[in-house]
Amino acid sequence: MPNFIDRRLNPKDKSLSNRQRFLRRARVELKRVINEKISTEKITDVDAGHAISLPVSGTSEPSFAPDRATGRREYVLPGNREFVLGDRLPKPGAGGGAGAGKGGAADLELEDDFRFVLSREEVLDLFFEDLELPDMVKSSLKEAIAFKPRRAGFTTAGAPTNINVGRSMRNSFGRRIALRRPKQADLDAIADEITLLEAEAKPSPASLERLAELRRELEVLQRRRKLVAYIDPVDIRFNRFEPMPVPNANAVMFCLMDVSGSMGEREKDLAKRFFVLLHLFLKRRYERIDIVFIRHTHQAHEVDEETFFHSTQSGGTVVSTALEEMRRIIEDRYPSRDWNIYAAQASDGDNLTGDSENCVNLLNNELMKLCQYYAYVEILDERESAIFRSTDNGTSLWRSYRLVGTNWRNFQMTRIAKPGDIYPVFHQLFAKQPKTAKSG
């Protein structure tokens, strides 16, 4: 059985196989370091490469070395003035030899600092290793890339249904001109002249000679016309199609946020961080993602991103208006048969008395059956976060949404109070669920 050795090199003579082998061996340590860096850096820094430091103990490879405590060896010591042939040299003890004493600790510290640069894709692979989108039930979400045919010129072979008549006839016309194929009109003219000469009662010798010449010419032209076909296989051209990869699915992400006076800059900043991180994760699964921003007070409007996060607006809080606006946009632009719909809602929990029931009805009866996933994040005051997290109490909107969560597995809700809560919430919302056997 033949053995193949891949000796291709990356730029700067770095072996790709060696790099991948190192990533597999140090994956646990690399993942730990990446998670620590992401927890302390900005969310926007996730989508970039990172230079990380690893201890030498995590990068060492097995090697063979002679045992310094046993055996017999011969050394060549140039410039020796102390020993002569036959002298026995004491073996160095623990801590002895070169590098011991002054400067030894510093050298050891330098060896422990190993820097390794991870690309953006490698960083994201490590960060999303234990995450997965929940309940992906649509067949269009398979990992296999879908293709659709696209016109790509012409070819000399293909199915009869793909024959391009115009291009084939153009080639035939040019070939007939180049090979001087006789026209039917020329043959008909010669045949008419032969008919006239044959109709003479007493043809003269000149007429007989002309008749014989015309017959020879007609025979040559007919033979040439048969040899040069009107349309030849070499003229045929077929429409050529090449497979063009298309996104395996389209996704739209709805961002809903309360912008009433109770939502300050701290709350908006937390909501933005969650939206950004959710969008970053969806980019790993979809090639095309549309984002729809819906902000609401007592009225809801679709706005651009700048207005969504930074423009101020006064008024009360009616959450159901945002859900109605989302339903309207889905009906107009994003039919669920063509789009995978995700929604992320951020609020401080305030809502008009009695409107929470309207929100539950809209979600249960209309929106949840259209959505792949719906995440609700309630932003708490830092001073009250411990109290609310330890109990099931909360705002009327939170209690109403708990009823939706019991009916729909693709509805998740949680509470956050500070930026440090965002990453655990993200893992909680999208953690892989253990596989269970389906009952037949």
Side-chain angles (χ1 to χ4, degrees), residues 130-141:
D130 57 343
L131 305 178
E132 187 56 86
L133 289 176
D135 299 333
M136 295 189 299
V137 296
K138 293 187 178 180
S139 59
S140 59
L141 290 180

Side-chain angles (χ1 to χ4, degrees), residues 93-351:
K102 188 175 181 180
D107 294 340
L108 183 61
E109 183 178 355
L110 289 176
E111 290 180 355
D112 287 342
D113 187 15
F114 175 76
R115 293 183 64 81
F116 188 78
V117 178
L118 292 175
S119 66
R120 169 185 173 273
E121 289 298 324
E122 291 168 342
V123 171
L124 293 179
D125 285 337
L126 289 169
F127 180 64
F128 291 119
E129 187 178 37
D130 57 343
L131 305 178
E132 187 56 86
L133 289 176
D135 299 333
M136 295 189 299
V137 296
K138 293 187 178 180
S139 59
S140 59
L141 290 180
K142 294 180 180 179
E143 290 298 329
I145 300 177
F147 294 91
K148 70 176 182 180
R150 182 184 63 177
R151 281 290 304 274
F154 305 96
T155 181
T156 58
T161 55
N162 292 333
I163 291 179
N164 189 293
V165 178
R167 179 55 63 98
S168 299
M169 296 307 298
R170 184 187 305 176
N171 293 342
S172 172
F173 183 69
R175 180 183 53 80
R176 284 184 276 119
I177 292 177
L179 297 179
R180 297 181 180 179
R181 183 178 188 268
K183 298 180 180 180
Q184 184 63 42
D186 297 338
L187 272 67
D188 293 342
I190 295 175
D192 293 342
E193 189 175 353
I194 291 175
T195 302
L196 293 176
L197 291 175
E198 291 177 342
E200 293 180 1
K202 295 181 177 180
S204 63
S207 297
L208 294 175
E209 182 179 355
R210 175 62 179 168
L211 181 60
E213 180 181 353
L214 289 175
R215 286 174 176 172
R216 288 193 299 269
E217 183 178 358
L218 180 62
E219 182 181 358
V220 170
L221 293 179
Q222 288 177 339
R223 184 167 60 250
R224 186 178 184 87
R225 185 177 174 84
K226 291 180 180 179
L227 291 176
V228 182
Y230 183 80
I231 186 166
D232 194 84
V234 75
D235 304 327
I236 304 299
R237 292 294 182 271
F238 298 85
N239 293 325
R240 178 174 176 268
F241 297 90
E242 65 179 11
M244 181 182 65
V246 296
N248 55 0
N250 297 325
V252 56
M253 174 181 168
F254 284 87
C255 299
L256 290 72
M257 185 171 66
D258 176 16
V259 294
S260 61
S262 59
M263 288 284 289
E265 291 300 322
R266 184 188 71 88
E267 287 78 8
K268 290 182 180 180
D269 178 70
L270 288 175
K272 182 176 182 180
R273 290 173 182 266
F274 180 77
F275 292 145
V276 170
L277 195 56
L278 177 59
H279 177 255
L280 178 62
F281 182 75
L282 291 179
K283 284 201 307 183
R284 301 287 293 168
R285 293 300 177 195
Y286 301 96
E287 296 186 19
R288 178 184 177 185
I289 301 176
D290 286 2
I291 306 179
V292 178
F293 297 97
I294 300 177
R295 50 181 285 166
H296 71 90
T297 52
H298 62 285
Q299 295 179 342
H301 302 281
E302 180 184 0
V303 296
D304 56 28
E305 185 174 357
E306 180 69 19
T307 305
F308 185 75
F309 287 111
H310 301 292
S311 179
T312 59
Q313 186 175 355
S314 60
T317 304
V318 182
V319 178
S320 61
T321 58
L323 300 179
E324 291 173 353
E325 180 70 7
M326 175 181 170
R327 179 189 59 183
R328 183 192 65 81
I329 295 175
I330 291 175
E331 293 175 353
D332 292 345
R333 308 202 309 256
Y334 300 103
S336 58
R337 65 180 180 274
D338 299 326
W339 292 81
N340 294 278
I341 302 172
Y342 293 81
Q345 180 183 357
S347 172
D348 60 353
D350 290 346
N351 194 16

